[in-house]
Amino acid sequence: MPANAQALGNYSQVDCSTTFQWLQRTSPTEAGECTEAAWASDNPGYDVDAVPAARLKKVQMAVGPAC
């Protein structure tokens, strides 16, 4: 499956945790999985609709063995 991107807000509406905290808890950790997150301001011009998604610059958090 090609890499994909998604723009998220600052907080999870489910439990009011930061988006980075929520991603750390909920991202898949199986072989081949990688979830990365970064601030939009650190990635000016990033196209979230591109397939496959480009790698992020200045990654703030990463989860999964394929990162």
Side-chain angles (χ1 to χ4, degrees):
M1 184 170 188
N4 60 63
Q6 184 176 17
L8 302 171
N10 291 334
Y11 293 92
S12 166
Q13 292 182 357
V14 174
D15 62 5
C16 296
S17 62
T18 68
T19 299
F20 291 157
Q21 291 169 332
W22 179 77
L23 286 169
Q24 289 278 2
R25 285 194 319 273
T26 62
S27 295
T29 57
E30 293 81 19
E33 296 287 350
C34 176
T35 300
E36 295 180 335
W39 295 111
S41 59
D42 288 341
N43 293 273
Y46 188 86
D47 182 2
V48 297
D49 296 319
V51 178
R55 295 298 300 258
L56 293 165
K57 298 174 184 162
K58 297 186 182 178
V59 172
Q60 297 295 312
M61 54 92 20
V63 176
C67 292

